[in-house]
Amino acid sequence: MSVFDYDLFVIGGGSGGVRAARIAASEGGAHVGLAEEYRLGGTCVIRGCVPKKLMVFASEFPQMVRDARAYGWDIAPPVANWDAFQTNLKAELDRLEAAYRATLKGVDVQVYPQRARLVDAHRVALDDGQIITAAHILVATGGRPFVPDIEGAELGVTSNEVFHLSAVPKRVLVVGGGFIASEFASIFNGLGAVVTLAYRGDAILRGFDREATAHVASAMQARGVTVLTGCDVTKLQKTATGVQALFATDVGLEADLVLFATGRVPNSQDLGLEALGVGLGAGGEVLVDGFSQTSIPSIFAVGDVTDRVSLTPVAIREGHAFADTIFLGKSRQMDYENIPSAIFTQPEMGTVGLTEEQAIKRGDIAIYSTQFRPMRSMFAGQDEKVLFKLVVCATSDKVLGCHIVGPQAGEMIQLVAIAVKMGATKAQFDSTVAVHPTMSEELVTLRKPTRILPKSQ
Ligand code: NDP
């Protein structure tokens, strides 16, 4: 008989917390409790990946209708019914939240719909005053949008609010140049808004392969998004007809919606972590070792609150590795090498492994890069090109990275990532027979390097 109420108490019912709770309970036989102050499913399900992807789908239909006409379909101009989409979106999120709840119930995880704070290494206080004891505590509280401290910032919204708009705004200003900014600029553009993206740096999607991000940026612009680089938004003010954004270098512009997509910060405040002496980093992230253990041995943390790699599948794997290690006796660390990801811009970008800029610092490389107009959209009269790029080690022939821009790039990169993760060589890519006619056959038919580059100092 344990001296604790629970073997594991999880704070946060998002991707990482729920996976850890489920595995600990169902496979590790642990008695598990979980506190969630908002909705089960966390950022990904409730106000992130899932509703975002559904909005991406919604925003792609006008282009599909235009394409359909080129294929001989006689279709009247489409009319969007935003209310119908919102109703269906809400129903889908409710369904997913219910599925999360059912999963936890099915493995006897007790859910507390309240905020929880740490009292000491083994005690948690709930908002209703209950004190719960646990042998292990997992902090999986995620992150939240960061908004720059500028005058009038409250006139803008963040990704928390953007899914609940009563109508599609006519003019949208997106501030930022990362994942969320680029994705929402594309979404609103697809939905028919006049979109401006204002980014303070010189090229959007910093940190990704420069050739690929330049391709995305110019394609987004060709589709109608105005991308302003080197553009700092310094102030927002209300006008009779919208919100005026002032830029550091000029008068700025007026929009109906200003979306701040200026990064996210870990949800580590007001949890009792500082008082307990749990180590926090400069950005408030919970510091953990490879086993997601904090400086207090009974307290662990996974997911965005640790600010390692802020992606849903990473949080899930961190939670799973934690549960395996502690409750199944399978000591396991998350492997952060070659994590693939997709940015659901229009066009989409999929990426795995090293960028050209990263690889060249490590050794001599060969770049295989091709751009072409894919069959489906070329037939419909579009000029947009897809990009397929392989970054290859010139000495070992190993494929170090792959970057794809084009329709279904996210789907494609998942499959290429298996080969890259296995350490496949360019020769092994070449020995694979092409699937014809597809776009992705280019990955196995890139015969000659576009350029061979010596290691940069
Ligand atoms: P990102 O870190 O991707 O981008 C933040 C952007 O905001 C950057 O362009 C940054 O500029 C800019 N910025 C930061 N501070 C300021 C400031 N004070 N003023 C003006 N601009 C500023 O964050 P996101 O919020 O877009 O996304 C958060 C995380 O969520 C991502 O890192 C990703 O891990 C995850 N995510 C993943 C998605 C996917 O997998 N498809 C989709 C959405 C989110 P600078 O480059 O100069 O620093």
Side-chain angles (χ1 to χ4, degrees):
M1 186 69 188
S2 169
V3 293
F4 299 108
D5 299 329
Y6 289 103
D7 301 311
L8 170 65
F9 195 82
V10 180
I11 308 179
S15 304
V18 168
R19 173 59 68 95
R22 178 164 74 77
I23 299 301
S26 63
E27 296 179 20
H31 185 37
V32 182
L34 182 149
E36 168 56 57
E37 64 177 339
Y38 184 52
R39 295 181 67 182
L40 285 176
T43 300
C44 171
V45 174
I46 303 299
R47 45 195 179 191
C49 322
V50 171
K52 181 275 309 288
K53 189 81 189 274
L54 292 169
M55 278 182 81
V56 169
F57 290 142
S59 70
E60 285 174 339
F61 283 99
Q63 183 61 47
M64 284 185 201
V65 170
R66 286 194 285 277
D67 289 353
R69 291 200 185 105
Y71 280 86
W73 290 90
D74 187 8
I75 302 177
V79 181
N81 182 337
W82 185 248
D83 288 344
F85 173 67
Q86 283 289 324
T87 303
N88 293 344
L89 180 63
K90 184 179 173 306
E92 177 59 6
L93 301 190
D94 289 347
R95 185 188 71 77
L96 288 169
E97 186 184 9
Y100 269 72
R101 193 172 302 286
T103 297
L104 291 174
K105 191 161 187 257
V107 295
D108 291 329
V109 173
Q110 174 77 42
V111 175
Y112 298 84
Q114 315 180 39
R115 187 170 177 85
R117 290 176 188 76
L118 291 139
V119 178
D120 62 31
H122 293 285
R123 283 193 303 159
V124 163
L126 300 182
D127 262 356
D128 69 1
Q130 273 187 83
I131 299 287
I132 288 172
T133 64
H136 301 89
I137 297 168
L138 180 67
V139 179
T141 46
R144 63 179 190 284
F146 161 78
V147 175
D149 184 18
I150 60 168
E151 195 180 330
E154 70 285 354
L155 297 172
V157 303
T158 69
S159 57
N160 280 354
E161 295 81 38
V162 78
F163 300 110
H164 308 293
L165 301 175
S166 55
V168 178
K170 288 198 166 48
R171 301 163 300 169
V172 178
L173 172 67
V174 180
V175 187
F179 274 83
I180 297 177
S182 307
E183 292 182 338
F184 272 95
S186 292
I187 288 170
F188 282 118
N189 183 54
L191 290 172
V194 174
V195 180
T196 305
L197 181 150
Y199 174 49
R200 64 182 180 180
D202 64 347
I204 63 165
L205 296 168
R206 183 167 63 81
F208 291 98
D209 187 272
R210 290 287 285 223
E211 186 180 0
T213 58
H215 193 96
V216 172
S218 71
M220 279 172 62
Q221 298 198 72
R223 286 184 184 219
V225 176
T226 302
V227 176
L228 303 176
T229 52
C231 181
D232 252 318
V233 178
T234 52
K235 183 178 172 182
L236 299 185
Q237 58 194 26
K238 189 121 193 69
T239 63
T241 46
V243 176
Q244 179 74 25
L246 304 183
F247 299 159
T249 46
D250 67 37
V251 286
L253 57 79
E254 192 181 85
D256 302 303
L257 178 82
V258 177
L259 170 66
F260 283 106
T262 38
R264 295 177 61 84
V265 289
N267 272 333
S268 59
Q269 299 75 26
D270 193 26
L271 286 173
L273 293 166
E274 295 97 331
L276 257 173
V278 172
L280 299 180
E285 70 277 18
V286 179
L287 299 176
V288 290
D289 66 11
F291 291 99
S292 298
Q293 191 169 32
T294 70
S295 50
I296 308 275
S298 58
I299 301 174
F300 293 75
V302 295
D304 288 7
V305 75
T306 63
D307 196 23
R308 287 176 280 183
V309 178
S310 295
L311 296 172
T312 296
V314 173
I316 289 172
R317 287 195 171 224
E318 288 170 352
H320 203 133
F322 155 77
D324 274 356
T325 303
I326 302 299
F327 299 103
L328 280 89
K330 291 193 242 170
S331 183
R332 209 158 66 72
Q333 297 196 27
M334 165 76 199
D335 174 5
Y336 294 92
E337 277 283 301
N338 289 322
I339 294 171
S341 66
I343 298 96
F344 295 100
T345 39
Q346 293 167 30
E348 214 168 288
M349 177 164 107
T351 178
V352 65
L354 300 184
T355 64
E356 179 176 334
E357 295 73 31
Q358 290 167 330
I360 202 168
K361 291 194 185 122
R362 302 195 185 182
D364 301 349
I365 54 170
I367 300 295
Y368 295 79
S369 176
T370 183
Q371 299 186 16
F372 59 94
R373 293 200 288 161
M375 185 194 254
R376 184 185 178 283
S377 53
M378 190 164 68
F379 184 86
Q382 291 175 37
D383 286 331
E384 189 171 287
K385 291 180 174 168
V386 295
L387 168 78
F388 285 85
K389 175 171 181 177
L390 295 178
V391 179
V392 178
C393 173
T395 42
S396 69
D397 195 42
K398 205 166 143 177
V399 177
L400 303 173
C402 177
H403 311 280
I404 302 174
V405 180
Q408 304 297 315
E411 301 291 343
M412 288 188 268
I413 207 70
Q414 178 69 81
L415 306 179
V416 185
I418 300 169
V420 173
K421 183 83 185 157
M422 289 172 76
T425 60
K426 177 68 171 56
Q428 288 169 322
F429 271 61
D430 295 345
S431 73
T432 307
V433 174
V435 177
H436 185 74
T438 63
M439 289 181 290
S440 52
E441 65 182 302
E442 290 294 321
L443 287 169
V444 298
T445 56
L446 289 162
R447 291 272 159 241
K448 291 215 169 72
T450 319
R451 50 192 178 272
I452 296 173
L453 301 166
K455 181 179 180 198
S456 74
Q457 298 314 311

